[in-house]
Amino acid sequence: MNSLQTLHARAAATLMDAPLESPAGAGTRVSNLSRRAFLGFGAGALVLGALLPPMPALAQAAAAPKPGTRVPAFLVIGKDNAVTLLSPFVEGGQGINTGLAQIVGEELDVHPSRFTVECAPPGADYAVINGLRMTGGSFSTRSSYDLMRRLGATARDMMIRAAAARLKVVPGSLTTDDGHVVHAASGRRLTYGELADEALALAPDEAVALRDPANFRYIRKPMDRLDVRAKSTGKAVYAIDQTVEGMLHAAVRHAPHLGTQPDALANEAAVAVMPGVHSVHRLPGAVAVAADSWWRARKAVEALEVAWSKPAPTGFETVAADYSSQGILAALKASTASGPLAETEGDVAAAFASAAKVIEAEYDAPYLAHGQLEPPSSIARFNPDGTLELWAPNQMPELFQSVAAQTAGLPPEKVILHSPTLGGFFGRHFLYGSSNPFLQAIQLAKATNRPVKVLWSREEEFRMDAVRPLSFSRFKAALDPQGRPTAIQVRTVGEGPLGRWFGAIFNGPVDSSAVEGIVAKPYAVPNRSMEYVKVPHPVTIAFWRSVGHSMNDYFYEGFFDEIADAGGRDPYELRLELLKDKPRHRALLETVARLSGGWKRGPYEAEGGKRARGVSMASPFGSETATVAEVSIEDGEVRVHNLWIAFDPGSIVNPAIVKAQVESAAALGLSATLFEDLSYEGGVRQSHNFDDYPILPRRAMPAVHVEIVESGAPMGGVGEPGLPGVAPAVVNAVAALTGQRIRSLPLAKAKIGV
């Protein structure tokens, strides 16, 4: 999602205008205390001011502080010297809370283990990504690293100045030690908690010095995650765990065809008197039952006899009755429309006219679900003071607050939003219209005049999840007599999520999320032409871990090996040759070869039979990766034994978290490579749960070997870059082993033999 880096305040308005497909036991009691009230600042000064009336938005923007400059908005230091950091980002397993504690703690001089990190409420202070607040695109650490260092250093300086005034000494005579200000000459020590009220009232010093990286104690160290104990003991609280006093539980059934509506309920009266049922409701594109337990609500909503409106019989304007994955793929392939050039260099036509050899290939990848562990849920409560309180998993708090306000008919400052820890990220928790239950929770809370918790069953999650786009690209390459590519031509047809959800902002001719991984490749190919043809999908498409890179690097790097084979060249050696003027990339490629014990393509004999290896490179989210996969074929199925990944994010904060993120991204990438496919047939999705949407089983998980290379380049992303190189490395290895070139994922649908 690196193309989101330039998003700004108008993003929310764009999202509101985007097309939509359709207009348990005792948990953890959550408090009615508003964090913003506790901190003493309101949520009205939204950075996403486009959702507010024009003049007030401008006035608020003018009055709003520069994001990240107000220390008291981020740090709460108690009298007991406990330190709470209010994070601009949502924790969802990526370890951002621990990383921020390391960064701030380094400069504040507080050990990271002593931090409590909470997601901050909506507010202008937290719009730290170019005037926008979001958690995604592998931006969190790299976008806030300098700001968080300065925040910690500024707070430490304020503590020292407050202590100097209290002790009547000069600031230069004071040092700090893990949350204490120390006057060595007299042996006096004051805790930060004792000084907090005075210190945080001081004006910050904009020129405060930062710690020399050579003296880092916490940054770049593999420190334990703050949440590991809570997660390992079952004490971590997710949205699915939360309850509020007096709430109803609601279960939902969505229309079998997206975009259709409930016309009639044949047995509504009978369902309304089922045990525990409070009420039966019609919602846009769905029916719902509210009851005293979720199980009763689910049994009741499943018992409803619903007559649904009919979908369009055919076409691609909506999800028609005959819509299918094969149909939309055929339409993408058959498109003859011309599109703008996403990249152009040199004279492609001349290169093809003089080529010693020309090769062509078509690649495609399917729709994919997010498959998060935690099913979606939200709680909505209208309070006696006229506020709406909402517990909603999300990746953009201000945006969800604003949309919730519009749904409830309230000003944004009347919406109290809690952003719980996410039970899985992957791009699932952006605003995708009907693909999120929080709007249903608001509607039902208003209709029942009670707090309502909406929880989707796994089947409803699979029915409504916004999906990674099905994608298609056609490649053509010209080779010289030495087997080097002199020209590459690509035609990508489809749609990317950036254009869908932020199209009014990025209204240029090319959707970067549809072509990233195909353009701006590092290889020295002198003539290039990359065409993008937009063909909208009728289904709700979404960001998915590594977004366009998740399929496009597979397309490009797979075709690169086809170029090498057509020219009689070793694919590793050809990459090295074409990277001779790119020392960062060449060093990474050499690193992964060394990590894997030296490059060998194969086939070669190994334990259990023949194996082969494939290699790939990717440049996602400001980072660089090189990947080698080792595979064999067992009973007609691909078995991946090893993945070696050399990863260069420029610089790092916590190497243990970086390694874990690369490993987890590799696992998800391999799952998509081998198994995952969310297909449509007859206008409906064919997967309803994990039994018919297979994901990577433990037996198929290879050994993953990661080496982190800190090149000193600007800090890149970490959460997603480990994924894109997996598919091409595996497919290239399969081709080396079997001679079969797989151009359509997943591999499970291909017949493979040695």
Side-chain angles (χ1 to χ4, degrees), residues 261-276:
Q261 304 297 329
D263 280 344
L265 306 179
N267 61 339
E268 181 174 357
V271 170
V273 296
M274 288 178 66

PDB file of all heavy atoms in Angstrom, residues 261-276:
ATOM      1  N   GLN A 261     -32.062  -7.240  -1.748  1.00  0.00           N
ATOM      2  CA  GLN A 261     -32.669  -6.785  -0.500  1.00  0.00           C
ATOM      3  C   GLN A 261     -33.716  -7.782  -0.010  1.00  0.00           C
ATOM      4  O   GLN A 261     -34.300  -8.529  -0.794  1.00  0.00           O
ATOM      5  CB  GLN A 261     -33.330  -5.411  -0.709  1.00  0.00           C
ATOM      6  CG  GLN A 261     -32.409  -4.335  -1.244  1.00  0.00           C
ATOM      7  CD  GLN A 261     -31.271  -4.015  -0.301  1.00  0.00           C
ATOM      8  OE1 GLN A 261     -31.413  -4.126   0.917  1.00  0.00           O
ATOM      9  NE2 GLN A 261     -30.128  -3.611  -0.862  1.00  0.00           N
ATOM     10  N   PRO A 262     -34.012  -7.757   1.311  1.00  0.00           N
ATOM     11  CA  PRO A 262     -35.093  -8.598   1.827  1.00  0.00           C
ATOM     12  C   PRO A 262     -36.453  -8.004   1.451  1.00  0.00           C
ATOM     13  O   PRO A 262     -36.799  -6.906   1.884  1.00  0.00           O
ATOM     14  CB  PRO A 262     -34.864  -8.578   3.342  1.00  0.00           C
ATOM     15  CG  PRO A 262     -34.140  -7.293   3.605  1.00  0.00           C
ATOM     16  CD  PRO A 262     -33.309  -7.020   2.392  1.00  0.00           C
ATOM     17  N   ASP A 263     -37.225  -8.736   0.655  1.00  0.00           N
ATOM     18  CA  ASP A 263     -38.547  -8.254   0.231  1.00  0.00           C
ATOM     19  C   ASP A 263     -39.635  -8.612   1.230  1.00  0.00           C
ATOM     20  O   ASP A 263     -40.539  -7.814   1.497  1.00  0.00           O
ATOM     21  CB  ASP A 263     -38.902  -8.841  -1.142  1.00  0.00           C
ATOM     22  CG  ASP A 263     -38.230  -8.091  -2.285  1.00  0.00           C
ATOM     23  OD1 ASP A 263     -37.745  -6.967  -2.043  1.00  0.00           O
ATOM     24  OD2 ASP A 263     -38.167  -8.643  -3.400  1.00  0.00           O
ATOM     25  N   ALA A 264     -39.583  -9.827   1.770  1.00  0.00           N
ATOM     26  CA  ALA A 264     -40.652 -10.272   2.674  1.00  0.00           C
ATOM     27  C   ALA A 264     -40.107 -11.323   3.626  1.00  0.00           C
ATOM     28  O   ALA A 264     -39.203 -12.091   3.290  1.00  0.00           O
ATOM     29  CB  ALA A 264     -41.817 -10.849   1.866  1.00  0.00           C
ATOM     30  N   LEU A 265     -40.687 -11.364   4.841  1.00  0.00           N
ATOM     31  CA  LEU A 265     -40.353 -12.368   5.847  1.00  0.00           C
ATOM     32  C   LEU A 265     -41.616 -13.172   6.121  1.00  0.00           C
ATOM     33  O   LEU A 265     -42.569 -12.671   6.728  1.00  0.00           O
ATOM     34  CB  LEU A 265     -39.851 -11.711   7.132  1.00  0.00           C
ATOM     35  CG  LEU A 265     -38.684 -10.716   6.999  1.00  0.00           C
ATOM     36  CD1 LEU A 265     -38.317 -10.136   8.354  1.00  0.00           C
ATOM     37  CD2 LEU A 265     -37.481 -11.393   6.370  1.00  0.00           C
ATOM     38  N   ALA A 266     -41.628 -14.423   5.696  1.00  0.00           N
ATOM     39  CA  ALA A 266     -42.851 -15.223   5.774  1.00  0.00           C
ATOM     40  C   ALA A 266     -43.210 -15.608   7.205  1.00  0.00           C
ATOM     41  O   ALA A 266     -44.389 -15.756   7.539  1.00  0.00           O
ATOM     42  CB  ALA A 266     -42.690 -16.475   4.911  1.00  0.00           C
ATOM     43  N   ASN A 267     -42.224 -15.778   8.065  1.00  0.00           N
ATOM     44  CA  ASN A 267     -42.494 -16.275   9.422  1.00  0.00           C
ATOM     45  C   ASN A 267     -41.966 -15.336  10.494  1.00  0.00           C
ATOM     46  O   ASN A 267     -41.500 -15.773  11.552  1.00  0.00           O
ATOM     47  CB  ASN A 267     -41.889 -17.658   9.601  1.00  0.00           C
ATOM     48  CG  ASN A 267     -40.362 -17.647   9.424  1.00  0.00           C
ATOM     49  OD1 ASN A 267     -39.813 -16.736   8.819  1.00  0.00           O
ATOM     50  ND2 ASN A 267     -39.702 -18.670   9.955  1.00  0.00           N
ATOM     51  N   GLU A 268     -42.013 -14.047  10.236  1.00  0.00           N
ATOM     52  CA  GLU A 268     -41.457 -13.078  11.183  1.00  0.00           C
ATOM     53  C   GLU A 268     -42.091 -13.201  12.557  1.00  0.00           C
ATOM     54  O   GLU A 268     -41.402 -13.157  13.586  1.00  0.00           O
ATOM     55  CB  GLU A 268     -41.642 -11.662  10.647  1.00  0.00           C
ATOM     56  CG  GLU A 268     -41.075 -10.581  11.565  1.00  0.00           C
ATOM     57  CD  GLU A 268     -41.145  -9.188  10.948  1.00  0.00           C
ATOM     58  OE1 GLU A 268     -41.583  -9.065   9.789  1.00  0.00           O
ATOM     59  OE2 GLU A 268     -40.748  -8.230  11.638  1.00  0.00           O
ATOM     60  N   ALA A 269     -43.413 -13.356  12.638  1.00  0.00           N
ATOM     61  CA  ALA A 269     -44.096 -13.428  13.933  1.00  0.00           C
ATOM     62  C   ALA A 269     -43.640 -14.648  14.725  1.00  0.00           C
ATOM     63  O   ALA A 269     -43.438 -14.580  15.947  1.00  0.00           O
ATOM     64  CB  ALA A 269     -45.609 -13.462  13.721  1.00  0.00           C
ATOM     65  N   ALA A 270     -43.470 -15.776  14.043  1.00  0.00           N
ATOM     66  CA  ALA A 270     -43.043 -16.983  14.740  1.00  0.00           C
ATOM     67  C   ALA A 270     -41.621 -16.847  15.269  1.00  0.00           C
ATOM     68  O   ALA A 270     -41.309 -17.297  16.387  1.00  0.00           O
ATOM     69  CB  ALA A 270     -43.146 -18.182  13.800  1.00  0.00           C
ATOM     70  N   VAL A 271     -40.748 -16.246  14.501  1.00  0.00           N
ATOM     71  CA  VAL A 271     -39.375 -16.057  14.942  1.00  0.00           C
ATOM     72  C   VAL A 271     -39.311 -15.067  16.095  1.00  0.00           C
ATOM     73  O   VAL A 271     -38.516 -15.224  17.034  1.00  0.00           O
ATOM     74  CB  VAL A 271     -38.494 -15.589  13.764  1.00  0.00           C
ATOM     75  CG1 VAL A 271     -37.113 -15.155  14.244  1.00  0.00           C
ATOM     76  CG2 VAL A 271     -38.369 -16.691  12.726  1.00  0.00           C
ATOM     77  N   ALA A 272     -40.152 -14.062  16.069  1.00  0.00           N
ATOM     78  CA  ALA A 272     -40.133 -13.026  17.105  1.00  0.00           C
ATOM     79  C   ALA A 272     -40.435 -13.569  18.497  1.00  0.00           C
ATOM     80  O   ALA A 272     -40.060 -12.949  19.498  1.00  0.00           O
ATOM     81  CB  ALA A 272     -41.106 -11.915  16.747  1.00  0.00           C
ATOM     82  N   VAL A 273     -41.110 -14.722  18.600  1.00  0.00           N
ATOM     83  CA  VAL A 273     -41.448 -15.288  19.910  1.00  0.00           C
ATOM     84  C   VAL A 273     -40.566 -16.484  20.256  1.00  0.00           C
ATOM     85  O   VAL A 273     -40.841 -17.196  21.229  1.00  0.00           O
ATOM     86  CB  VAL A 273     -42.940 -15.692  19.964  1.00  0.00           C
ATOM     87  CG1 VAL A 273     -43.827 -14.461  19.817  1.00  0.00           C
ATOM     88  CG2 VAL A 273     -43.284 -16.736  18.904  1.00  0.00           C
ATOM     89  N   MET A 274     -39.508 -16.705  19.501  1.00  0.00           N
ATOM     90  CA  MET A 274     -38.563 -17.757  19.859  1.00  0.00           C
ATOM     91  C   MET A 274     -37.855 -17.390  21.161  1.00  0.00           C
ATOM     92  O   MET A 274     -37.759 -16.196  21.518  1.00  0.00           O
ATOM     93  CB  MET A 274     -37.547 -17.963  18.727  1.00  0.00           C
ATOM     94  CG  MET A 274     -38.119 -18.625  17.494  1.00  0.00           C
ATOM     95  SD  MET A 274     -36.907 -18.797  16.127  1.00  0.00           S
ATOM     96  CE  MET A 274     -35.754 -19.979  16.873  1.00  0.00           C
ATOM     97  N   PRO A 275     -37.374 -18.362  21.925  1.00  0.00           N
ATOM     98  CA  PRO A 275     -36.754 -18.080  23.230  1.00  0.00           C
ATOM     99  C   PRO A 275     -35.638 -17.043  23.136  1.00  0.00           C
ATOM    100  O   PRO A 275     -34.740 -17.159  22.301  1.00  0.00           O
ATOM    101  CB  PRO A 275     -36.203 -19.446  23.654  1.00  0.00           C
ATOM    102  CG  PRO A 275     -37.068 -20.435  22.961  1.00  0.00           C
ATOM    103  CD  PRO A 275     -37.414 -19.811  21.640  1.00  0.00           C
ATOM    104  N   GLY A 276     -35.718 -16.034  23.989  1.00  0.00           N
ATOM    105  CA  GLY A 276     -34.684 -15.019  24.091  1.00  0.00           C
ATOM    106  C   GLY A 276     -34.711 -13.937  23.050  1.00  0.00           C
ATOM    107  O   GLY A 276     -33.950 -12.961  23.146  1.00  0.00           O
TER     108      GLY A 276
END
